[in-house]
């Protein structure tokens, strides 16, 4: 039988997502997965992310010791979006 285990906690065990709709939770999870796969494989990432994912993304980058920069998007005055840049790992 396969051995299944959690690789990285999404940080939602204490009601952090209770105020969000199912669709919003899906978007946050999908977005986190995109960033997770890029960071895990050292590909880097450059693009917008939801502000609600900020803490999760910062924990992820710190866990993998990835160099990253998050800043509020200049195109969005609602403060719903951040721009994330994660450096790709240099491979030998």
């Amino acid at each position: 039988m396969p051995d299944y285990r959690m690789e990285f906690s999404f940080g939602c065990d204490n009601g952090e997502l209770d105020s969000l709709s199912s669709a919003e939770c899906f978007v946050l999870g999908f977005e986190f997965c995109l960033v997770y796969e890029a960071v895990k494989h050292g590909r880097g990432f450059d693009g917008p992310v939801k502000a609600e994912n900020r803490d999760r993304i910062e924990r992820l980058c710190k866990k993998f010791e990835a160099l990253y920069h998050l800043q509020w998007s200049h195109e969005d005055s609602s403060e719903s979006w951040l721009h994330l840049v994660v450096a790709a790992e240099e491979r030998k």
Side-chain angles (χ1 to χ4, degrees):
M1 180 160 212
D3 180 28
Y4 295 104
R5 62 181 172 77
M6 182 172 55
E7 254 185 79
F8 190 83
S9 172
F10 191 62
C12 60
D13 294 334
N14 297 312
E16 292 88 346
L17 303 178
D18 287 354
S19 64
L20 302 178
S21 71
S22 296
E24 290 169 315
C25 291
F26 175 82
V27 168
L28 293 178
F30 183 80
E31 174 183 272
F32 181 82
C33 183
L34 291 176
V35 175
Y36 176 79
E37 286 297 314
V39 171
K40 178 181 174 184
H41 297 291
R43 292 190 303 261
F45 185 90
D46 186 344
V49 294
K50 295 293 286 174
E52 293 92 337
N53 260 343
R54 180 182 196 144
D55 292 341
R56 284 179 276 280
I57 289 170
E58 286 183 326
R59 281 190 298 110
L60 171 67
C61 290
K62 288 175 183 174
K63 174 185 173 164
F64 284 96
E65 298 178 349
L67 297 175
Y68 72 97
H69 179 73
L70 269 168
Q71 74 178 41
W72 293 105
S73 175
H74 299 294
E75 294 98 29
D76 178 34
S77 62
S78 70
E79 296 188 350
S80 296
W81 293 93
L82 294 156
H83 188 86
L84 171 66
V85 177
V86 179
E89 288 182 13
E90 292 183 24
R91 306 275 173 152
K92 293 180 181 181

